[in-house]
Amino acid sequence: MNKEKSYGKSTACVHSGNYKDEQEHGVVTPIFTSTAYDYENVEYMAYPRYNNIVNQRVVAEKIKSLEDGEDAMVFSSGLSAIMTAFFTFLKQGEHAVLQRDIYGGSHHALSRECEKFGIELTFVEGYEKQDFYKAIKENTRLIFIETPSNPLLKIVDIQKIAELGSQQIVTMIDNTFASPINQTPISLGIDIVMHSGTKYLAGHSDLSCGALISSKDLMSRIRETAISFGGLLDAKSCYLLERSLKTLDIRVKRQNENAGELALFLEDHQKINKVYYPGLKEHEGHDVAKIQMSGYGGMLSFEIEGDASQFIGHLQLIARAMSLGGVESTICLPTETSHSKVSPEERQAMGIQDNLVRMSVGIENSQDLIQDLKQALEKI
Ligand SMILES: *Cc1c(COP(=O)(O)O)cnc(C)c1O
């Protein structure tokens, strides 16, 4: 597709990067399953771990255009993408500054692996530019944020954090919760965008993948590390991801809409103590979200009056599950899932109550979701 920039997001979802099938003239990218290719041109050896086979290139191209980047690469999971980026820009004796409440799996993996290799991490408690700035040291090489964050949907001002980047320091964001439909951090000055594609990008709770998007220059460095680590995505999964991305815009828009309606319903319900959703005027990050997001996303959380575990047990339509971003609504208790390994005292300090429920809103009819929440609330 030419002149991509002039097209809207939905058009880019459908058309960007698509493979032109000169032979059979089909409109869909064929799946090239080969792992062995004639090396007629010795300059260009196609091989899956090099991330240069057709299906990998095509889907990366689509993601790149959605995130306004210059280059992109897909991985076998979000964690594979994060670890590859960290080990590209950090080496022994260097330092990274991170938001404290990043995704639990990222927090755990980075703490564990970076320490082993002599890379120091500082987890910042606040959410302001100043809080991050104060943590920067002479050997800082990377700043990592996640907004909206899990599970309290905290908002960090992306543009302000991007200003902390320099020749020495790359800035990176986990954009999983927002998806490129609601937020494009590269256009706000961030260097590297990361996704757990397992969530909104794939969107159907049936595919594990990840992505990194950045400039040509930074991606060429990332690519070398990626080839060493080998977290590639095979052709069939790339095809599935490409197919999913065609509906990303309409899925996310519906999820935004549904989550907004549910937030209003929950806010008014007498058995709900508090609702966390960046689209609500009362949300502490609303003003910043309004500027940097074009939609408020499909994730919300709320504190209920009563036993949260019992409440989700009464739900009939909304499934109890840990993952998120699928077409089906799912719900979980952070104390039982993402934050089960965090001590009760620390959870308290983070503002995560035992009665906190986190919901990933799907594309169902909002009235059916509201009805399900209503009947379950009546039973507690
Ligand atoms: C799930 C998730 C990850 C990790 O991605 P995987 O695909 O499970 O490796 C990272 N960040 C966020 C925000 C996530 O939701």
Side-chain angles (χ1 to χ4, degrees):
M1 192 173 105
N2 299 317
K3 290 184 275 167
E4 276 165 20
K5 284 280 178 198
S6 59
Y7 290 109
K9 280 269 163 80
S10 215
T11 309
C13 281
V14 177
H15 293 282
S16 276
N18 286 8
Y19 180 81
K20 196 152 174 29
D21 176 4
E22 304 280 4
Q23 204 164 341
E24 301 295 332
H25 311 290
V27 295
V28 170
T29 310
I31 306 175
F32 292 87
T33 53
S34 270
T35 58
Y37 292 85
D38 182 350
Y39 63 90
E40 180 187 25
N41 172 4
V42 290
E43 295 294 305
Y44 183 79
M45 306 259 191
Y47 187 61
R49 187 165 47 74
Y50 296 171
N51 255 291
N52 60 2
I53 60 171
V54 174
N55 294 95
Q56 292 168 333
R57 294 198 322 256
V58 162
V59 75
E61 189 70 20
K62 202 182 272 300
I63 293 173
K64 178 203 94 174
S65 93
L66 290 171
E67 282 288 3
D68 287 339
E70 287 176 7
D71 195 7
M73 207 167 138
V74 287
F75 294 83
S76 52
S77 68
L79 250 285
S80 174
I82 290 187
M83 298 313 273
T84 301
F86 267 69
F87 284 94
T88 300
F89 298 103
L90 290 159
K91 61 176 190 293
Q92 187 177 20
E94 292 182 335
H95 173 246
V97 175
L98 300 88
Q99 188 177 324
R100 177 170 71 165
D101 54 349
I102 54 169
Y103 176 77
S106 313
H107 193 296
H108 178 74
L110 288 168
S111 305
R112 184 188 143 87
E113 305 305 329
C114 287
E115 184 178 324
K116 265 198 275 187
F117 293 97
I119 296 163
E120 195 199 347
L121 307 179
T122 299
F123 289 95
V124 173
E125 295 211 356
Y127 299 90
E128 302 298 326
K129 177 181 180 181
Q130 196 61 21
D131 301 316
F132 286 82
Y133 176 74
K134 277 190 286 189
I136 294 175
K137 305 204 270 189
E138 205 186 320
N139 59 345
T140 303
R141 296 290 173 266
L142 189 150
I143 298 175
F144 185 59
I145 58 168
E146 184 179 317
T147 179
S149 74
N150 182 32
L152 296 174
L153 291 307
K154 298 262 192 198
I155 302 293
V156 175
D157 189 323
I158 298 172
Q159 197 158 6
K160 291 215 172 117
I161 299 299
E163 286 164 9
L164 296 173
S166 65
Q167 210 51 358
Q168 300 281 317
I169 303 175
V170 295
T171 53
M172 175 168 164
I173 185 172
D174 184 334
N175 204 30
T176 301
F177 268 35
S179 93
I181 304 306
N182 290 328
Q183 179 171 288
T184 47
I186 289 174
S187 64
L188 299 169
I190 287 282
D191 297 316
I192 305 163
V193 168
M194 169 264 151
H195 276 282
S196 167
T198 316
K199 315 297 166 51
Y200 287 98
L201 301 189
H204 296 72
S205 309
D206 61 359
L207 174 62
S208 167
C209 56
L212 290 174
I213 307 96
S214 187
S215 63
K216 280 210 167 73
D217 180 35
L218 297 183
M219 282 310 298
S220 73
R221 294 173 61 187
I222 288 171
R223 196 170 291 274
E224 284 186 37
T225 313
I227 290 171
S228 304
F229 283 0
L232 66 115
L233 196 64
D234 72 276
K236 293 179 210 114
S237 298
C238 286
Y239 173 75
L240 255 187
L241 177 57
E242 184 194 344
R243 179 174 152 148
S244 296
L245 285 170
K246 292 184 185 180
T247 56
L248 181 67
D249 188 68
I250 56 167
R251 278 190 281 115
V252 169
K253 290 230 168 86
R254 175 64 168 250
Q255 284 161 320
N256 289 345
E257 240 176 72
N258 280 355
E261 283 182 47
L262 261 61
L264 290 177
F265 160 76
L266 290 164
E267 204 180 28
D268 275 347
H269 200 285
Q270 57 183 28
K271 285 186 185 167
I272 303 295
N273 294 337
K274 192 161 170 58
V275 181
Y276 300 90
Y277 186 63
L280 293 175
K281 283 191 199 71
E282 298 73 28
H283 188 80
E284 58 180 357
H286 178 69
D287 290 341
V288 175
K290 210 160 104 182
I291 295 168
Q292 67 189 22
M293 303 182 82
S294 50
Y296 298 109
M299 299 300 300
L300 58 85
S301 49
F302 49 96
E303 289 161 10
I304 71 164
E305 184 77 57
D307 188 323
S309 197
Q310 222 178 44
F311 160 70
I312 63 174
H314 289 305
L315 291 165
Q316 292 163 356
L317 180 64
I318 302 164
R320 180 169 52 201
M322 193 171 73
S323 196
L324 59 109
V327 288
E328 61 286 283
S329 293
T330 55
I331 204 159
C332 71
L333 305 186
T335 52
E336 291 179 353
T337 55
S338 56
H339 292 70
S340 61
K341 291 199 188 83
V342 180
S343 72
E345 297 76 36
E346 175 126 14
R347 278 206 301 260
Q348 204 67 28
M350 293 169 94
I352 298 166
Q353 312 291 340
D354 289 345
N355 61 350
L356 183 75
V357 178
R358 187 198 77 183
M359 183 169 175
S360 165
V361 182
I363 65 168
E364 299 95 336
N365 292 99
S366 59
Q367 281 315 309
D368 294 327
L369 298 174
I370 288 174
Q371 196 48 47
D372 197 26
L373 292 169
K374 204 186 248 173
Q375 64 81 23
L377 284 167
E378 271 161 19
K379 291 186 182 135
I380 54 163

mmCIF file of all heavy atoms in Angstrom, residues 208-226:
data_model
loop_
_atom_site.group_PDB
_atom_site.id
_atom_site.type_symbol
_atom_site.label_atom_id
_atom_site.label_comp_id
_atom_site.label_asym_id
_atom_site.label_seq_id
_atom_site.Cartn_x
_atom_site.Cartn_y
_atom_site.Cartn_z
ATOM 1 N N SER A 208 0.242 -16.341 21.124
ATOM 2 C CA SER A 208 1.267 -15.672 21.915
ATOM 3 C C SER A 208 2.254 -14.974 20.989
ATOM 4 O O SER A 208 2.813 -15.594 20.075
ATOM 5 C CB SER A 208 2.014 -16.713 22.759
ATOM 6 O OG SER A 208 3.194 -16.145 23.292
ATOM 7 N N CYS A 209 2.454 -13.670 21.194
ATOM 8 C CA CYS A 209 3.415 -12.937 20.368
ATOM 9 C C CYS A 209 3.766 -11.604 21.015
ATOM 10 O O CYS A 209 3.133 -11.183 21.984
ATOM 11 C CB CYS A 209 2.860 -12.701 18.964
ATOM 12 S SG CYS A 209 1.285 -11.842 18.939
ATOM 13 N N GLY A 210 4.789 -10.966 20.492
ATOM 14 C CA GLY A 210 5.204 -9.664 20.993
ATOM 15 C C GLY A 210 5.730 -8.823 19.851
ATOM 16 O O GLY A 210 5.899 -9.322 18.731
ATOM 17 N N ALA A 211 5.996 -7.539 20.108
ATOM 18 C CA ALA A 211 6.510 -6.670 19.049
ATOM 19 C C ALA A 211 7.343 -5.541 19.629
ATOM 20 O O ALA A 211 7.117 -5.107 20.758
ATOM 21 C CB ALA A 211 5.348 -6.091 18.239
ATOM 22 N N LEU A 212 8.314 -5.093 18.847
ATOM 23 C CA LEU A 212 9.063 -3.876 19.148
ATOM 24 C C LEU A 212 8.986 -2.979 17.923
ATOM 25 O O LEU A 212 9.103 -3.467 16.784
ATOM 26 C CB LEU A 212 10.532 -4.186 19.468
ATOM 27 C CG LEU A 212 10.835 -4.908 20.785
ATOM 28 C CD1 LEU A 212 12.314 -5.256 20.855
ATOM 29 C CD2 LEU A 212 10.425 -4.074 21.999
ATOM 30 N N ILE A 213 8.812 -1.684 18.161
ATOM 31 C CA ILE A 213 8.721 -0.711 17.076
ATOM 32 C C ILE A 213 9.643 0.449 17.450
ATOM 33 O O ILE A 213 9.626 0.901 18.603
ATOM 34 C CB ILE A 213 7.279 -0.171 16.897
ATOM 35 C CG1 ILE A 213 6.284 -1.320 16.735
ATOM 36 C CG2 ILE A 213 7.199 0.756 15.681
ATOM 37 C CD1 ILE A 213 5.583 -1.760 17.986
ATOM 38 N N SER A 214 10.426 0.927 16.487
ATOM 39 C CA SER A 214 11.351 2.017 16.799
ATOM 40 C C SER A 214 11.867 2.658 15.510
ATOM 41 O O SER A 214 11.261 2.498 14.444
ATOM 42 C CB SER A 214 12.513 1.465 17.634
ATOM 43 O OG SER A 214 13.342 2.506 18.082
ATOM 44 N N SER A 215 12.988 3.372 15.636
ATOM 45 C CA SER A 215 13.625 3.968 14.460
ATOM 46 C C SER A 215 14.425 2.880 13.738
ATOM 47 O O SER A 215 14.717 1.833 14.315
ATOM 48 C CB SER A 215 14.580 5.080 14.902
ATOM 49 O OG SER A 215 15.611 4.515 15.689
ATOM 50 N N LYS A 216 14.827 3.164 12.509
ATOM 51 C CA LYS A 216 15.638 2.208 11.737
ATOM 52 C C LYS A 216 16.942 1.911 12.477
ATOM 53 O O LYS A 216 17.385 0.768 12.567
ATOM 54 C CB LYS A 216 15.973 2.802 10.358
ATOM 55 C CG LYS A 216 14.855 2.683 9.366
ATOM 56 C CD LYS A 216 15.437 2.583 7.939
ATOM 57 C CE LYS A 216 14.397 2.146 6.936
ATOM 58 N NZ LYS A 216 13.412 3.220 6.642
ATOM 59 N N ASP A 217 17.524 2.974 13.010
ATOM 60 C CA ASP A 217 18.817 2.868 13.677
ATOM 61 C C ASP A 217 18.735 1.960 14.921
ATOM 62 O O ASP A 217 19.513 1.007 15.062
ATOM 63 C CB ASP A 217 19.246 4.300 14.064
ATOM 64 C CG ASP A 217 20.584 4.303 14.757
ATOM 65 O OD1 ASP A 217 21.429 3.472 14.373
ATOM 66 O OD2 ASP A 217 20.781 5.124 15.672
ATOM 67 N N LEU A 218 17.794 2.247 15.809
ATOM 68 C CA LEU A 218 17.680 1.435 17.027
ATOM 69 C C LEU A 218 17.236 0.008 16.699
ATOM 70 O O LEU A 218 17.695 -0.950 17.317
ATOM 71 C CB LEU A 218 16.712 2.087 18.031
ATOM 72 C CG LEU A 218 17.126 3.458 18.574
ATOM 73 C CD1 LEU A 218 16.131 3.962 19.607
ATOM 74 C CD2 LEU A 218 18.529 3.416 19.171
ATOM 75 N N MET A 219 16.357 -0.133 15.714
ATOM 76 C CA MET A 219 15.893 -1.480 15.363
ATOM 77 C C MET A 219 17.033 -2.330 14.794
ATOM 78 O O MET A 219 17.048 -3.543 14.984
ATOM 79 C CB MET A 219 14.733 -1.424 14.355
ATOM 80 C CG MET A 219 13.372 -1.070 14.925
ATOM 81 S SD MET A 219 12.826 -2.003 16.387
ATOM 82 C CE MET A 219 12.751 -3.653 15.772
ATOM 83 N N SER A 220 17.981 -1.697 14.130
ATOM 84 C CA SER A 220 19.074 -2.510 13.573
ATOM 85 C C SER A 220 19.924 -3.079 14.716
ATOM 86 O O SER A 220 20.441 -4.189 14.624
ATOM 87 C CB SER A 220 19.905 -1.706 12.564
ATOM 88 O OG SER A 220 20.697 -0.779 13.247
ATOM 89 N N ARG A 221 20.029 -2.338 15.818
ATOM 90 C CA ARG A 221 20.752 -2.866 16.988
ATOM 91 C C ARG A 221 19.926 -3.965 17.671
ATOM 92 O O ARG A 221 20.454 -4.998 18.078
ATOM 93 C CB ARG A 221 21.057 -1.725 17.970
ATOM 94 C CG ARG A 221 22.045 -0.717 17.386
ATOM 95 C CD ARG A 221 22.225 0.485 18.276
ATOM 96 N NE ARG A 221 22.746 0.128 19.590
ATOM 97 C CZ ARG A 221 22.861 0.989 20.607
ATOM 98 N NH1 ARG A 221 22.506 2.243 20.434
ATOM 99 N NH2 ARG A 221 23.332 0.589 21.769
ATOM 100 N N ILE A 222 18.625 -3.719 17.782
ATOM 101 C CA ILE A 222 17.729 -4.707 18.401
ATOM 102 C C ILE A 222 17.755 -6.014 17.611
ATOM 103 O O ILE A 222 17.789 -7.111 18.159
ATOM 104 C CB ILE A 222 16.286 -4.141 18.479
ATOM 105 C CG1 ILE A 222 16.218 -3.048 19.554
ATOM 106 C CG2 ILE A 222 15.271 -5.244 18.741
ATOM 107 C CD1 ILE A 222 14.925 -2.261 19.584
ATOM 108 N N ARG A 223 17.767 -5.865 16.285
ATOM 109 C CA ARG A 223 17.719 -7.044 15.414
ATOM 110 C C ARG A 223 18.887 -7.995 15.677
ATOM 111 O O ARG A 223 18.726 -9.212 15.701
ATOM 112 C CB ARG A 223 17.720 -6.566 13.955
ATOM 113 C CG ARG A 223 17.296 -7.600 12.935
ATOM 114 C CD ARG A 223 17.092 -6.948 11.572
ATOM 115 N NE ARG A 223 15.923 -6.068 11.556
ATOM 116 C CZ ARG A 223 14.682 -6.494 11.318
ATOM 117 N NH1 ARG A 223 14.449 -7.753 11.043
ATOM 118 N NH2 ARG A 223 13.671 -5.649 11.332
ATOM 119 N N GLU A 224 20.048 -7.430 15.922
ATOM 120 C CA GLU A 224 21.216 -8.290 16.176
ATOM 121 C C GLU A 224 21.058 -9.100 17.452
ATOM 122 O O GLU A 224 21.364 -10.292 17.491
ATOM 123 C CB GLU A 224 22.487 -7.439 16.260
ATOM 124 C CG GLU A 224 22.955 -6.979 14.906
ATOM 125 C CD GLU A 224 24.294 -6.274 14.991
ATOM 126 O OE1 GLU A 224 25.138 -6.695 15.798
ATOM 127 O OE2 GLU A 224 24.466 -5.287 14.255
ATOM 128 N N THR A 225 20.564 -8.437 18.512
ATOM 129 C CA THR A 225 20.329 -9.154 19.774
ATOM 130 C C THR A 225 19.242 -10.202 19.582
ATOM 131 O O THR A 225 19.332 -11.318 20.089
ATOM 132 C CB THR A 225 19.901 -8.164 20.883
ATOM 133 O OG1 THR A 225 20.769 -7.049 20.855
ATOM 134 C CG2 THR A 225 19.939 -8.822 22.251
ATOM 135 N N ALA A 226 18.219 -9.829 18.825
ATOM 136 C CA ALA A 226 17.090 -10.741 18.603
ATOM 137 C C ALA A 226 17.558 -12.023 17.914
ATOM 138 O O ALA A 226 17.094 -13.119 18.232
ATOM 139 C CB ALA A 226 16.018 -10.053 17.772
#
